[in-house]
Amino acid sequence: MEAAQVVTSNGNADGNYQYEIISWFDSVSKNAAMVQTETLGQILHLNYGVEYLKKWFGDMKIQDMDACALESLYASLVPLASHADFEPFIQRIADGDTAPILTQQPITTLSLSSGTTEGRQKLLPFTRHSSQTTLHIYRLAAAYRSRVYPIREGGRILEFIYSSKQLKTKGGLTAGTATTHYYASEEYNIKQEKTKSFTCSPQEVIFGGDYKQSTYCHLLLGLLFWDEVELIASTFAYSIVQAFATFEEQWEEICSDIKDGTLSSRITLPRMRKAVLDIISPSPCLASQIEAICRDSKASNWYGIVPRLWPNAKYVYSIMTGSMQPYLKKLRHYAASLPLVSADYGSTEGWIGVNLDPCLPPEDVNFAVIPTFSYFEFIPLNKKKQDLTSGTVGYIEDEPVPLSQVKIGQEYELVLTTFTGLYRYRLGDVVEVAGFHNGTPKLNFIFRRELILTVNIDKNTENDLQLAVERGSEVLNKYGGELVDFTSHAEVMHQPGHYMIYWEIKGEVEERVLGECCGVMDASFVDHGYVVSRRTNSIGPLELCIVETGTFNKVLDYFIGNGAALGQFKTPRCTNNHILLRILNLCTIKRFHSTAYN
Ligand code: AMP
């Protein structure tokens, strides 16, 4: 049974729908192994004869083949691949080649992932199936949530959502983030109509393209509709924390706009201004109530501001796992007693799993794999003993296994075969099997393999850091200095977060030169998420910390003191370890802040 079929054939808003979608998931999860075999069969039959598959299958006729035989043939003929392997094929599609390269259906839209491959943003195919699965997982998760936290039909969602710009590739295809495509799709409207829950902000605010102006309008409209708001949501928790940090600064201006029915001169985008002004009208009573709450709340450092302003809200909903965990503390502060419900697990490549236990605290959430969305394989990963001291984890990999053969407690890297034309694609995420829902595994997200530096939507790998440091040290070398060792840290305790790079150097170098090294490194991170966040200052200037001679020996001593062997030691290239950071900060003798984006 394919996901999209369920949505269209049962797309009504009543309680029946919730019952039906949960029964559907029960049925596919009970038969997960068989459903997976069928899903692979569907993908391969739909895309029979495409160039990528022909490379491995040749002219072999797969149509009449038994689904189980096809599954084992597939694993034996088609190799595991990374984004780099697909890149030339996707590039040809982007450049306008309309031949059936990855899929039989022409691809007209491409997604830009926020992840990076050696500092470059990834282009991935996006099809109608992508929007349909987004709608489907949203409704499935909503059905589970409504059993615990029912919400009122016709209510509103205060959603802190933002689209990216949609660009045209050389071949005329639309490219943007997957969420942008979704907000622009028919499915997004269907979601609002069928769930009878409406976002407070109109499309002009979501698609404004300036996150500061959009945030102001989201807050303003959320407050205007205060009594209708049933939940507060965003894709990633970071956006909610950032929105309330803005609110702390701008609440008086927002109140004044509510009082007079005006719109701050901060909002300069004409379409956004018009759309918001069309909605608002003077509400002096509401403005004075909000003002009173804010004055009082400010005195307690804004603790519990969310339920005070939106007393009918049932919960806060967003991705709070993985790289979003550092924001949980602040989110809890704003939300106080309001439940935090952690959202589902997916990627630009495809959706993976749904949170079936909305009551669980975000730290304990896991995701049940949806076996109709893609064909999933799992590469067993076993930690290498000698890498215990390293910031990145080294693994010994085993042969990939199908979904039906995963084991509880084992860590795996996920491999996807998707309806959008990715075949045995290594996602790079490390997950652990926490248990099963019927026959489908429930996954704990561990981390993105090799992802080391992240503040919000940015994602930089060890390789990206290495490249940036190399560029910076070229400048250092030019002036007679030498880099002895380095490490890094993503500072997220203060807003805006920023990257800190610690350098131990040899030789006398002028401060001016070190300032230049700092700027060069900042400008060398070309990950799209980082660049956009730096431009908008939602990530602050990179900080270069020069540590005194011998600091990295102290770091080594610390690891040795904790049982590491000298022969096994590798400097962690990125660290959140408090003791290590204390050593590094105590030993810092000079600090430089990048001016690269001034
Ligand atoms: P992107 O495709 O650039 O949007 O990034 C997708 C990646 O974000 C995934 O591969 C994960 O590494 C991470 N991610 C997505 N959803 C979750 C989640 N619920 N929990 C933790 N990490 C997530």
Side-chain angles (χ1 to χ4, degrees), residues 515-530:
E516 191 183 329
C517 296
C518 179
V520 166
M521 286 196 282
D522 199 11
S524 299
F525 287 103
V526 292
D527 160 53
H528 183 67
Y530 184 76

Side-chain angles (χ1 to χ4, degrees), residues 62 131 154 220 267 375 431-432 476 504:
I62 61 160
S131 294
L220 174 69
I267 314 305
Y375 177 69
V431 296
E432 182 192 31
L476 183 73
E504 187 173 331

Side-chain angles (χ1 to χ4, degrees), residues 309-584:
L309 291 175
W310 292 280
N312 296 326
K314 309 297 183 295
Y315 55 92
V316 177
Y317 182 59
S318 189
I319 292 177
M320 298 169 192
T321 36
S323 60
M324 291 298 120
Q325 280 215 20
Y327 303 105
L328 266 179
K329 198 170 159 214
K330 195 74 187 172
L331 202 57
R332 282 208 168 98
H333 179 81
Y334 288 132
S337 57
L338 203 61
L340 299 184
V341 181
S342 194
D344 308 309
Y345 172 30
S347 65
T348 307
E349 289 83 348
W351 281 104
I352 297 152
V354 59
N355 173 7
L356 302 179
D357 304 302
C359 285
L360 285 179
E363 291 85 348
D364 299 338
V365 158
N366 52 53
F367 308 97
V369 176
I370 304 184
T372 57
F373 276 11
S374 291
Y375 177 69
F376 297 95
E377 291 172 88
F378 297 78
I379 302 173
L381 300 173
N382 296 302
K383 281 197 185 102
K384 281 185 197 164
K385 278 212 178 64
Q386 66 267 29
D387 274 319
L388 284 174
T389 58
S390 169
T392 50
V393 183
Y395 284 112
I396 299 167
E397 298 176 1
D398 260 332
E399 285 303 303
V401 295
L403 174 147
S404 55
Q405 286 175 29
V406 298
K407 294 197 170 60
I408 293 178
Q410 172 71 48
E411 283 186 13
Y412 298 93
E413 182 185 335
L414 270 175
V415 176
L416 310 182
T417 295
T418 69
F419 282 91
T420 56
L422 301 173
Y423 303 95
R424 308 199 81 206
Y425 175 100
R426 293 181 72 144
L427 186 62
D429 280 355
V430 179
V431 296
E432 182 192 31
V433 176
F436 283 87
H437 175 77
N438 298 320
T440 202
K442 295 208 282 187
L443 309 176
N444 279 329
F445 177 85
I446 306 292
F447 59 83
R448 177 157 264 205
R449 218 169 162 184
E450 293 178 60
L451 166 67
I452 57 163
L453 276 171
T454 177
V455 167
N456 48 54
I457 56 165
D458 57 308
K459 293 186 173 77
N460 278 302
T461 64
E462 178 160 9
N463 226 339
D464 303 326
L465 170 68
Q466 187 90 42
L467 280 172
V469 170
E470 266 173 29
R471 301 263 152 76
S473 61
E474 277 164 17
V475 178
L476 183 73
N477 295 344
K478 209 166 82 187
Y479 290 94
E482 190 191 323
L483 182 64
V484 176
D485 213 339
F486 73 95
T487 190
S488 67
H489 170 62
E491 210 294 304
V492 291
M493 294 304 281
H494 302 97
Q495 295 279 340
H498 71 291
Y499 289 3
M500 295 174 78
I501 297 185
Y502 295 89
W503 271 13
E504 187 173 331
I505 58 170
K506 243 191 203 163
E508 287 302 322
V509 193
E510 281 175 43
E511 300 218 344
R512 178 187 57 82
V513 174
L514 293 170
E516 191 183 329
C517 296
C518 179
V520 166
M521 286 196 282
D522 199 11
S524 299
F525 287 103
V526 292
D527 160 53
H528 183 67
Y530 184 76
V531 173
V532 168
S533 299
R534 280 291 288 116
R535 280 194 193 132
T536 55
N537 202 36
S538 60
I539 295 182
L542 183 144
E543 183 177 350
L544 171 62
C545 304
I546 305 294
V547 296
E548 65 192 21
T549 305
T551 302
F552 279 86
N553 278 337
K554 289 186 185 158
V555 170
L556 172 67
D557 290 345
Y558 164 70
F559 279 109
I560 301 283
N562 280 286
L566 184 62
Q568 294 172 210
F569 179 77
K570 292 183 201 76
T571 301
R573 289 296 170 222
C574 180
T575 185
N576 286 319
N577 178 317
H578 292 297
I579 301 175
L580 207 55
L581 286 171
R582 186 144 24 105
I583 298 173
L584 291 164

